[in-house]
Amino acid sequence: MLRIADLSLAFWPVGGVPEPVLSGINLTVSQGEGVGLVGGSGAGKSLIAQAIVNTVPVTARMTGQITLEGGPVTAGRLALVPQSVDALDPLANVGHQIARFARLVARKADPVSVLDRVGLRPDVAALYPHQLSGGMAKTVLLAIALAQDPDFLIADEPTLGLDPHAADGLMACLSGLIAAGKGLLVISHDLPRLVAITRRVIVLQEGHAVETAAATAFSGAGAGLAHPFSRALWRAQYGEIAWA
């Protein structure tokens, strides 16, 4: 189980005043479970992902506990699928990048087999990032994470910037990984697709978790949601006219 207990984080610039950005965050993700994380811009969603993989900025001070199966988070057990396709190496083809990340955790990976797991053709292994569509690039980021054979994955805004068809395909792939026993924390602004593949959703507002709701509560006008901000996020996906 991936567990975050009482995570707080503040930016502490030299000679400046500390600026709290996360406060008292608690969440768990079990293998075979999908958990969603949503919130407005600047709510701290991506910072939570960075905290889990220990890549927070050097000016940040962090308190609380982050554990995996009761111990520290170690490479090879958990992998991050980053938000930006700029994480891809522009000078290496897809196959080399998949193999490289597998080697980082002392594993071997056949790029073609990994690409097949995420629904990409074998010839994608020979392509460079500039030759990929947006949906293909996002899916390659997922393939690179899977090459490390982790038990848990964090997917940060996997559908951001994708057309509906590509977004549906990528979310279907994530759903398949959950069904196969992976534990997934999915950070997304795309609530309708997020609640279709997750069991629980944590709602962040200005660095605080205001509600943890069952995914099934995000339906209709959101009457099953306890917090006004959660209902506002849900209704904003379609507009108030949908609930008139």
Side-chain angles (χ1 to χ4, degrees):
M1 176 182 288
L2 172 66
R3 182 184 298 276
I4 296 176
D6 201 25
L7 172 67
S8 295
L9 188 147
F11 287 118
W12 207 294
V14 176
V17 176
E19 178 188 356
V21 288
L22 292 173
S23 180
I25 304 298
N26 295 280
L27 66 85
T28 61
V29 183
S30 299
Q31 285 187 251
E33 181 183 37
V35 176
L37 188 59
V38 299
S41 178
K45 303 184 298 296
S46 292
L47 277 173
I48 292 174
Q50 293 175 38
I52 294 170
V53 297
N54 197 28
T55 59
V56 294
V58 294
T59 56
R61 302 281 181 88
M62 190 170 68
T63 60
Q65 274 195 325
I66 302 175
T67 57
L68 190 61
E69 306 295 7
V73 177
T74 56
R77 295 294 311 280
L78 180 145
L80 172 67
V81 185
Q83 178 179 149
S84 175
V85 297
D86 290 342
L88 294 171
D89 182 351
L91 302 179
N93 67 31
V94 168
H96 284 144
Q97 295 190 57
I98 289 173
R100 177 196 303 163
F101 275 82
R103 287 195 300 270
L104 288 176
V105 293
R107 290 188 170 93
K108 292 182 179 180
D110 172 27
V112 171
S113 296
V114 177
L115 290 171
D116 182 65
R117 289 184 67 187
V118 296
L120 292 177
R121 305 183 312 271
D123 59 289
V124 172
L127 299 180
Y128 286 78
H130 72 276
Q131 297 173 302
L132 304 173
S133 68
M136 289 170 67
K138 285 277 197 175
T139 308
V140 164
L141 288 173
L142 175 58
I144 289 172
L146 285 177
Q148 302 166 61
D149 195 25
D151 297 318
F152 295 84
L153 293 104
I154 304 168
D156 190 0
E157 293 288 5
T159 63
L160 186 65
L162 300 186
D163 63 69
H165 178 74
D168 288 342
L170 193 48
M171 281 301 210
C173 188
L174 293 178
S175 180
L177 293 174
I178 295 168
K182 302 290 186 186
L184 261 73
L185 177 63
V186 185
I187 300 167
S188 180
H189 69 289
D190 191 350
L191 257 175
R193 290 184 176 89
L194 182 65
V195 299
I197 71 166
T198 56
R199 182 179 300 171
R200 292 177 288 116
V201 176
I202 295 139
V203 182
L204 289 185
Q205 183 180 26
E206 297 180 353
H208 298 268
V210 296
E211 181 171 1
T212 298
T216 53
F218 292 86
S219 62
L225 297 166
H227 199 279
F229 183 71
S230 304
R231 292 193 293 272
L233 275 180
W234 175 242
R235 292 183 178 198
Q237 297 288 322
Y238 303 105
E240 289 288 345
I241 192 170
W243 315 118

